[in-house]
Amino acid sequence: MQVIVVASITHDDDLTQPWIVMVNGEEIHRANTFQRCHSYITWHYQRGTLPIQEEETPVATTGNEIMVQIADECEKYGFEILNDGIYDHDQKLGELVVCQTYFDGY
């Protein structure tokens, strides 16, 4: 199966509409749920009205290189990386989650 990226869904700290549909690095739609963004992409893709996603230039770094950068920054500030998150003096600061959403054209 060939995967074609037609758009991406991301989010920010907007309180009312944090979910964003991005095409070619530009915001084209904003909604209050992930599902509404997915529906927007599906609807416009099926009608041929979704902007055409340009091929992305492959990133020159690997996941391991990114993890090394994160580890270096944590070490610089005295944070500890454990299996379930990043800690500062036994207080959990957060966790690292990497995810990508693909649309298969249904």
Side-chain angles (χ1 to χ4, degrees), residues 66-96:
I66 293 168
M67 291 304 294
V68 167
Q69 290 174 354
I70 292 170
D72 288 345
E73 291 300 313
C74 286
E75 185 177 323
K76 184 188 307 182
Y77 293 100
F79 300 149
E80 183 177 17
I81 300 175
L82 300 176
N83 288 338
D84 67 336
I86 299 172
Y87 288 82
D88 182 26
H89 299 97
D90 295 328
Q91 179 182 3
K92 187 173 183 178
L93 302 176
E95 55 190 67
L96 183 62

Side-chain angles (χ1 to χ4, degrees), residues 13-102:
D13 293 328
D14 186 287
L15 295 177
T16 58
Q17 294 187 321
W19 295 98
I20 307 164
V21 175
M22 304 284 289
V23 175
N24 298 323
E26 294 182 28
E27 178 181 324
I28 63 166
H29 179 73
R30 189 175 276 269
N32 62 337
T33 65
F34 180 92
Q35 181 58 41
R36 287 187 181 198
C37 285
H38 184 270
S39 295
Y40 175 89
I41 293 169
T42 303
W43 194 88
H44 284 282
Y45 180 79
Q46 289 173 344
R47 284 155 185 79
T49 57
L50 193 66
I52 296 172
Q53 175 74 39
E54 298 171 2
E55 282 192 40
E56 295 181 12
T57 306
V59 178
T61 59
T62 67
N64 288 340
E65 290 169 331
I66 293 168
M67 291 304 294
V68 167
Q69 290 174 354
I70 292 170
D72 288 345
E73 291 300 313
C74 286
E75 185 177 323
K76 184 188 307 182
Y77 293 100
F79 300 149
E80 183 177 17
I81 300 175
L82 300 176
N83 288 338
D84 67 336
I86 299 172
Y87 288 82
D88 182 26
H89 299 97
D90 295 328
Q91 179 182 3
K92 187 173 183 178
L93 302 176
E95 55 190 67
L96 183 62
V97 178
V98 179
C99 120
Q100 291 182 331
T101 301
Y102 293 99

